[in-house]
Structures are given as structure tokens and as C-alpha cells.
Amino acid sequence: MNRIDHINKITTYAARFVLEVEGFNANSQYHINIHAESFLIPVLNETFGLELENLNSTQKKNYPAIDLADFKNRVAFQVTATSDFEKIKNTLESFFKYKLNEQFDVLYIYIITHKKENYNATKLRAIMPGDFVFDVNENIIDKDDLLKKINAISSTPKLQAIAKLYEHEFSDVQIQTRQQKFVSGYLSTENEPILPNLLRITFPEKFYTASLKIDEQAVIADINDFLQKNNKRQVKSLKKGKLIKHAMRMAGIKSDEWIPHENRIYTFLDLTKSSEALRGIIDTTTIIDIDSEAYYEASEDNKRVFKHLLRNTLIAYCKLKLIEWFGPREIFRFANNQKVPNQKRVKWKGKKEATKTVIFEMINKKEQHIICYRNLAFRSSFLDLGNEWFLVINPTWSFTNPGGYKESRFEADYMSGLKRMENNGAVCNYFRFFSYYFTYVDLFTTEYPYLKLHAVEPLTISPRLEEGTWNPPKLATKKGKTMEVELQIDNELSDNTLFE
């Protein structure tokens, strides 16, 4: 096929895309809007030369105004079927309210139906910072605008790839299949088991707070004495968190289960007990206990403070499980031995007892020495749904230097390579492993009193959604950098008999 043939095919299937969205939406069937985001990612990547990802599935953080983003090139997309002015205005207001313009230089609003002929640019400009560029003619786009950009592509192989994407999604067979499943209710009686990456958590019904009582000048003097001995620049003041940590170090207090807030300390630890070490840095006459639910339900600010307390309590809990908090990347990862770093395996129990390698050695192919370690890890966040709280676990990896702690300078390349190799099933199995690892108890397990993680609770949805129908065909990927180590897929959890 020549260039014209590919463009004609893209144009035909793009029109089908719009008609199908409008048809489903007219019948209050909005599944297609969600799946359309996944379809558009490879199309937009090919057309704009980006590396977009679907934020709804890859990020723990909530991005209320955007759906797709390329963090490297600082470009974001909102994908919507709603084309009216209020939708555009609300998107921009949310974008700037949450300061997303500090992360992204370009915002596109892609309308999967038809955009309006005109939008009031003056009113939109009034809600935007003066240095942010958003042109209603360039940044609000639909099928026709996308086709213009595709038509400007000179590379025939790239046009062929885009045509293949459209044909895969909007052939007669695919459209008929979706209509049968979503409109006719073909699968309306079938349930599909799903495994959300959520673990239900429980915590004490109350926590404690008290005013801090720290001799700041004494702490600063102690720090400056150390800095002077090491010929380093002295300090005049300290941030609250560092001040508390140094005061705790001076008092011999070791604890992570606390947070500072408005010159007070918040913790699940019982500050009224005379044996509690944290009493050494507080005014004991100001101790009060607070009902947990009443506190976090009072305001969004309170809820953020409470989530921070949960995060720090989780840090202490994970230490008991040989997992450390790595602040620079905001992840939890299996901790290596700082004195003698090495490969690590842990015991766990699903349907049966097993061991899992959680820290792998990465060997230099030529010189056969350890170039770094690969640690199983996860990102976390907390959700309150109804009357229950959940820990969100997003499995990932952390690559450290041979010392076993600091981030490897090759981590970005290694992570990119692994993402090309691992599939959703592998990520799901890592979550299943963490869920069993955290919740398994036996006669020798000491219960942690301040945070409990409960066994995963599978859910079902109806009708069944055939994700395979929406998975875009794999395109040829650019060959990555030649690395000094050979990345290998971790297949230790591929045996489903390990799980109940």
C-alpha cells in the first residue's frame, strides 16, 4: 500500500470511531469512553512523537484534569466525549487549581466526538496564568484535527502503523463484537472476577497528640558541633521534621510512628503511658486523645494529615517485614544488608509455603561482577471508601548501586527495559505476593498493634469486559540501549498453584 491508501484507511476508521462513541453514549453506555483512552495512547504517541501513559492505571496520585501524560516531554491530554464550553472551562480550572501547569507545559483536550465550532477564548484566558499557552484552535482537538496531523506525517511506515491501530479497533468484526456485548447484553449474566490492588486496613479507634517541647538551640548547637568537627558549614535553623528527628536522636528515641503538624506531634502510640519514649520531646500536660474517624471526617485537610500518619505507621510496620521506605523515590522496597549487600529470598505462604527472591543480583556481562541490585518494591497510597480504609499497592522495582541502598544511575534504563518485558499478569502476581506476605500470620507472628492489613478480597463485575478486544496491536519498538547486564523476567510467581 502507498501513503494515500494508508491515509484513506485511517480516515474511514476514524469516522467509525466517532460514530460508535456517539451511538454508545446515546444509549448511556460509557464503557467505550474509558477504553478509548487506551486505544488513543499509541495513536497519539505515533502522531505527536510522545510517550504517553494512562494515568488512571499507572499513577498512584490523582490527576483530576487529565487522563494521559508524557512526564518526560511535559505534555498532558484530557480525553472526553463532552464538547461544551463548561467542560473545557472546568478542565482548565482543575488543571491550574492542582498546579499541573508546574508539571506540564502543554495541555490538549481531545474530544472523541465533535468539538464546537467556537469557544470563548477570552473567558478561558481569564482563568489561566499569563505564562501558560493554551490556544482554543490548537489545543482543543478532535478527530478532524488529529487527521490533519496524521496527514502531515511523511513516513509511510509510521502511517502504516497508525492505520493498523485503527483497523484493529474499528473493523466490522470488532464493532459487531462490542455491540453484541455492550448493547445487546450478550454477557449481561456473566460475572468477571477482578482483583483490585487494594488491601483493607484497620487501625486504632483513637490517636494521640501533644505539643512539642524541644530545646531548639540545644539541638542546633549539637548539630553545629558535629558540622564544625567535620569542617562543614554550620546551620542557623532547622525545618520542623529535622529538628524533631535530631531531638529524638539526642534523647535516644527510635520511632517512625509519628508526624509533626502545627507544632504538635500526632501518633497512634499511647503518649499517656509513662514508658512511651516520645514523652521525652513533648509537653506531657498537653496530651489529648482524638477519635480517628471524627478527625479525618472533619475536613479534607484533616484527612491529608491522617493519611500522612498512616504512611509513617506503615513505614514502621514494613520494617518488621524487612521492607524499607526509600524517600527519594517515595517507594517501599525490600531492604538489603547495608554491611554485606547480597541477594535475598523470603519465605511466604499462599496456597502452600514457598520462597521468593526479592533482591536479585545484576551481574556485569563482561567482567562478571555485581553492577547493582534489583529490589522488589511498591508504591503506596490510602483510600477511604465508605466506612473502610484501603492500602493501594502498585508493584514496581528499585535498582540500587552495589552498596545496596543508593539508587543506581542506570535505573531509568533498567526500568524501561523491564516495562517492555513484563505484562499485566506479572504485575498482578506481584500484588498477590505482597498481599499474602503482609497478611500471613502464624503462632510465632507478633501482631503489630497500630496497623493491620487484611487478606485481599476479590470482587466481581458484570458484564464481563473482554480487555483483549481493546488491547492495541503491538508495534515494533525502538531498540533500547545496550546494557552491561542482561535483564531477565522474574518468573517465580508464574505458577498459579502458589496462590489460593
Side-chain angles (χ1 to χ4, degrees), residues 93-120:
E93 286 176 340
S94 294
F95 186 82
F96 297 114
K97 176 182 177 181
Y98 292 96
K99 299 182 179 180
L100 297 181
N101 54 306
E102 295 179 1
Q103 297 184 58
F104 303 102
D105 300 323
V106 180
L107 170 66
Y108 288 102
I109 300 177
Y110 186 91
I111 298 168
I112 57 178
T113 51
H114 296 281
K115 70 178 186 180
K116 302 294 184 184
E117 289 188 8
N118 295 295
Y119 292 96
N120 192 322

Coordinates of all heavy atoms in Angstrom, one line a residue, residues 93-120:
E93 N -9.8 24.9 34.9 CA -9.8 25.3 36.3 C -9.2 24.3 37.2 O -8.4 24.6 38.0 CB -11.2 25.6 36.7 CG -11.8 26.9 36.1 CD -13.3 27.1 36.5 OE1 -13.9 26.1 36.9 OE2 -13.7 28.3 36.4
S94 N -9.5 23.0 36.9 CA -8.9 21.9 37.7 C -7.4 21.8 37.5 O -6.6 21.6 38.4 CB -9.6 20.6 37.4 OG -10.9 20.6 37.8
F95 N -7.0 22.0 36.2 CA -5.6 21.8 35.8 C -4.8 22.9 36.6 O -3.7 22.5 37.1 CB -5.5 22.1 34.3 CG -4.1 21.9 33.7 CD1 -3.7 20.6 33.4 CD2 -3.3 22.9 33.5 CE1 -2.4 20.4 32.9 CE2 -2.0 22.7 33.0 CZ -1.6 21.5 32.7
F96 N -5.3 24.1 36.7 CA -4.5 25.1 37.4 C -4.7 25.1 38.9 O -3.8 25.4 39.7 CB -4.8 26.5 36.8 CG -4.5 26.7 35.4 CD1 -5.4 26.8 34.4 CD2 -3.1 26.6 35.0 CE1 -5.1 26.9 33.1 CE2 -2.8 26.7 33.6 CZ -3.8 26.9 32.7
K97 N -5.9 24.6 39.3 CA -6.1 24.5 40.8 C -5.1 23.6 41.4 O -4.6 23.8 42.5 CB -7.6 24.0 41.0 CG -7.9 23.8 42.5 CD -9.3 23.2 42.6 CE -9.6 22.9 44.1 NZ -11.0 22.4 44.3
Y98 N -4.9 22.4 40.7 CA -4.0 21.4 41.3 C -2.5 21.6 40.8 O -1.7 20.7 40.9 CB -4.5 20.0 40.9 CG -5.8 19.7 41.6 CD1 -7.0 19.9 41.0 CD2 -5.7 19.3 43.0 CE1 -8.2 19.6 41.7 CE2 -6.9 19.0 43.6 CZ -8.1 19.1 43.0 OH -9.3 18.8 43.7
K99 N -2.3 22.8 40.2 CA -0.9 23.2 39.8 C -0.3 22.2 38.8 O 1.0 22.0 38.9 CB 0.0 23.5 41.0 CG -0.6 24.5 41.9 CD 0.3 24.8 43.1 CE -0.2 25.9 44.0 NZ 0.7 26.1 45.2
L100 N -1.1 21.7 38.0 CA -0.5 20.7 37.0 C 0.3 21.4 35.9 O 1.2 20.8 35.3 CB -1.6 19.9 36.3 CG -2.4 19.0 37.3 CD1 -3.5 18.2 36.5 CD2 -1.5 18.1 38.0
N101 N 0.2 22.7 35.8 CA 1.0 23.5 34.9 C 2.4 23.6 35.4 O 3.3 23.9 34.6 CB 0.4 24.9 34.8 CG 0.3 25.6 36.1 OD1 -0.4 25.1 37.0 ND2 0.8 26.8 36.2
E102 N 2.7 23.2 36.6 CA 4.1 23.1 37.1 C 4.8 21.8 36.6 O 6.0 21.7 36.6 CB 4.1 23.2 38.6 CG 3.7 24.5 39.1 CD 3.7 24.6 40.7 OE1 4.1 23.6 41.3 OE2 3.3 25.6 41.2
Q103 N 3.9 20.8 36.2 CA 4.5 19.6 35.7 C 4.4 19.4 34.2 O 5.2 18.7 33.6 CB 3.7 18.4 36.3 CG 3.8 18.3 37.8 CD 3.1 17.0 38.4 OE1 3.4 15.9 38.0 NE2 2.2 17.2 39.2
F104 N 3.4 20.2 33.6 CA 3.2 20.0 32.1 C 3.2 21.4 31.5 O 2.5 22.3 32.0 CB 1.9 19.3 31.9 CG 1.8 17.9 32.5 CD1 1.1 17.8 33.7 CD2 2.5 16.9 32.0 CE1 1.0 16.5 34.3 CE2 2.5 15.6 32.6 CZ 1.7 15.5 33.8
D105 N 3.9 21.5 30.4 CA 3.9 22.8 29.6 C 2.8 22.8 28.6 O 2.5 23.9 28.1 CB 5.3 22.9 28.9 CG 6.4 22.9 29.9 OD1 6.3 23.5 31.0 OD2 7.5 22.3 29.5
V106 N 2.3 21.7 28.1 CA 1.3 21.7 27.1 C 0.1 20.8 27.5 O 0.3 19.7 28.1 CB 1.9 21.1 25.8 CG1 0.8 21.0 24.7 CG2 3.1 21.9 25.3
L107 N -1.1 21.3 27.3 CA -2.3 20.6 27.6 C -3.2 20.5 26.4 O -3.5 21.6 25.8 CB -3.1 21.2 28.7 CG -4.5 20.7 29.0 CD1 -4.5 19.3 29.5 CD2 -5.3 21.6 30.0
Y108 N -3.6 19.3 26.0 CA -4.5 19.1 24.9 C -5.8 18.6 25.5 O -5.8 17.7 26.4 CB -4.0 18.1 23.8 CG -2.9 18.7 23.0 CD1 -1.6 18.3 23.2 CD2 -3.1 19.5 21.9 CE1 -0.5 18.8 22.4 CE2 -2.1 20.0 21.1 CZ -0.8 19.6 21.3 OH 0.2 20.1 20.5
I109 N -6.9 19.0 24.9 CA -8.2 18.4 25.3 C -8.7 17.8 24.0 O -9.0 18.4 23.0 CB -9.2 19.5 25.8 CG1 -8.7 20.2 27.0 CG2 -10.6 18.9 26.0 CD1 -9.6 21.3 27.5
Y110 N -8.7 16.4 24.1 CA -9.1 15.6 22.9 C -10.6 15.2 23.0 O -10.9 14.5 24.0 CB -8.2 14.4 22.7 CG -8.5 13.7 21.4 CD1 -7.9 14.0 20.2 CD2 -9.5 12.7 21.4 CE1 -8.2 13.3 19.1 CE2 -9.8 12.0 20.2 CZ -9.1 12.4 19.0 OH -9.4 11.7 17.8
I111 N -11.4 15.7 22.1 CA -12.8 15.3 22.2 C -13.1 14.2 21.2 O -12.9 14.3 20.0 CB -13.7 16.6 21.8 CG1 -13.4 17.7 22.8 CG2 -15.2 16.3 21.8 CD1 -13.9 19.0 22.5
I112 N -13.6 13.1 21.7 CA -13.7 11.9 20.9 C -15.0 11.9 20.1 O -15.2 10.9 19.3 CB -13.6 10.6 21.8 CG1 -14.7 10.6 22.9 CG2 -12.2 10.4 22.3 CD1 -14.6 9.3 23.7
T113 N -15.8 12.9 20.2 CA -17.0 13.1 19.4 C -16.6 14.2 18.4 O -15.8 14.1 17.5 CB -18.2 13.4 20.2 OG1 -18.0 14.5 21.1 CG2 -18.7 12.1 21.0
H114 N -17.3 15.4 18.5 CA -17.0 16.5 17.7 C -16.9 17.8 18.6 O -17.7 18.0 19.4 CB -18.1 16.8 16.6 CG -18.3 15.7 15.6 ND1 -17.5 15.5 14.6 CD2 -19.2 14.7 15.6 CE1 -17.9 14.5 13.9 NE2 -18.9 13.9 14.5
K115 N -15.9 18.6 18.3 CA -15.7 19.8 19.1 C -16.6 20.9 18.5 O -17.1 20.8 17.4 CB -14.3 20.3 19.1 CG -13.7 20.8 17.8 CD -12.3 21.3 18.0 CE -11.8 22.0 16.7 NZ -10.4 22.4 16.9
K116 N -16.9 21.9 19.3 CA -17.7 23.0 18.9 C -16.9 23.9 17.9 O -15.7 23.8 17.8 CB -18.1 23.9 20.1 CG -18.9 23.2 21.2 CD -20.2 22.7 20.7 CE -21.0 22.0 21.8 NZ -22.3 21.5 21.4
E117 N -17.7 24.6 17.1 CA -17.0 25.5 16.1 C -16.2 26.6 16.8 O -15.2 27.0 16.3 CB -18.0 26.0 15.1 CG -18.6 25.0 14.2 CD -19.5 25.7 13.1 OE1 -19.5 26.9 13.0 OE2 -20.2 24.9 12.4
N118 N -16.8 27.1 17.9 CA -16.1 28.2 18.5 C -16.1 28.0 20.1 O -17.1 27.5 20.6 CB -16.8 29.5 18.2 CG -16.7 29.9 16.7 OD1 -15.6 30.1 16.2 ND2 -17.8 29.9 16.0
Y119 N -15.1 28.5 20.7 CA -15.0 28.6 22.2 C -14.6 30.0 22.6 O -13.8 30.6 21.9 CB -14.0 27.5 22.7 CG -14.5 26.1 22.5 CD1 -14.0 25.4 21.4 CD2 -15.3 25.5 23.4 CE1 -14.4 24.0 21.2 CE2 -15.7 24.2 23.2 CZ -15.3 23.5 22.1 OH -15.7 22.2 22.0
N120 N -15.1 30.5 23.6 CA -14.8 31.8 24.1 C -13.4 31.9 24.7 O -13.2 31.6 25.8 CB -15.8 32.3 25.1 CG -15.8 33.8 25.4 OD1 -14.7 34.3 25.4 ND2 -16.9 34.4 25.6

